[in-house]
Amino acid sequence: MGARNIIVDADACPVKTEIEEAGRQFGVQVVLVASFDHRMKENPGVKVVQVDRSDQSVDLYIANQIKSGDILVTQDFGLAALGLAKGSYCLTNRGQEYTDSSIDFLLDRRHTSAKMRRSGKHSKGPKPFTDEDRKYFLHGLTKLLKKLQEIEIE
């Protein structure tokens, strides 16, 4: 079965344009979920859902709406873990696919980093987002959509 929806944790997502492009190309509904602090407009094939600005509102909305077969785009490891548990496909904003085997490592690394920050140690943040990252993301999403389309045809 092909993807039902591409659901996007859209507050800080740098690849919304690429997601909309891929969604149109494959005929898949895109759902951008963000707080009211972010202004977004609906386009053909793109639904915008805006929630209140409290800390976890976007994550809670997505966790309650995502279904098996959907594609979730998020940088949030915890949200990705919930998506995987519900049978969705999950991608980072840089195009890497979260898997059951990688999510445990990522959650453990996040926990370890949080402990280090609480003890006063700070690490570097993520590297700046580049045009190459944008291309890699679009390639990863397109590859996943093609795979799901092929599964549907079989």
Side-chain angles (χ1 to χ4, degrees):
M1 171 176 74
R4 292 191 245 217
N5 295 297
I6 301 172
I7 300 176
V8 184
D9 181 356
D11 275 345
C13 180
V15 288
K16 290 186 280 287
T17 302
E18 289 79 2
I19 294 167
E20 289 184 29
E21 177 184 315
R24 271 191 303 278
Q25 180 183 353
F26 286 87
V28 177
Q29 173 76 42
V30 173
V31 181
L32 302 175
V33 184
S35 71
F36 286 111
D37 292 335
H38 300 272
R39 299 190 63 78
M40 292 181 284
K41 66 177 191 135
E42 291 193 359
N43 292 312
V46 178
K47 176 182 174 184
V48 173
V49 176
Q50 298 209 261
V51 296
D52 70 48
R53 57 178 61 109
S54 66
D55 190 26
Q56 298 297 316
S57 293
V58 169
D59 294 355
L60 288 171
Y61 179 86
I62 291 172
N64 286 317
Q65 297 301 313
I66 197 153
K67 294 179 177 37
S68 179
D70 286 342
I71 296 173
L72 170 62
V73 179
T74 185
Q75 284 299 109
D76 184 314
F77 302 152
L79 184 57
L82 288 170
L84 288 171
K86 288 193 166 197
S88 68
Y89 301 88
C90 302
L91 291 175
T92 71
N93 295 339
R94 295 178 192 262
Q96 288 110 7
E97 190 169 351
Y98 295 104
T99 64
D100 289 330
S101 59
S102 69
I103 200 69
D104 289 337
F105 168 76
L106 294 169
L107 288 168
D108 185 57
R109 189 175 73 186
R110 180 177 76 171
H111 175 72
T112 301
S113 294
K115 282 185 0 186
M116 288 176 58
R117 283 191 301 277
R118 283 193 302 274
S119 70
K121 296 183 177 107
H122 295 282
S123 60
K124 297 178 185 177
K127 61 184 181 181
F129 200 80
T130 66
D131 286 339
E132 192 66 30
D133 291 323
R134 217 172 275 291
K135 289 176 193 166
Y136 189 79
F137 171 80
L138 187 55
H139 174 76
L141 178 57
T142 301
K143 183 176 167 185
L144 177 57
L145 286 165
K146 282 180 182 173
K147 178 177 97 174
L148 295 176
Q149 199 173 50
E150 289 169 5
I151 290 170
E152 190 172 80
I153 291 170
E154 291 175 356

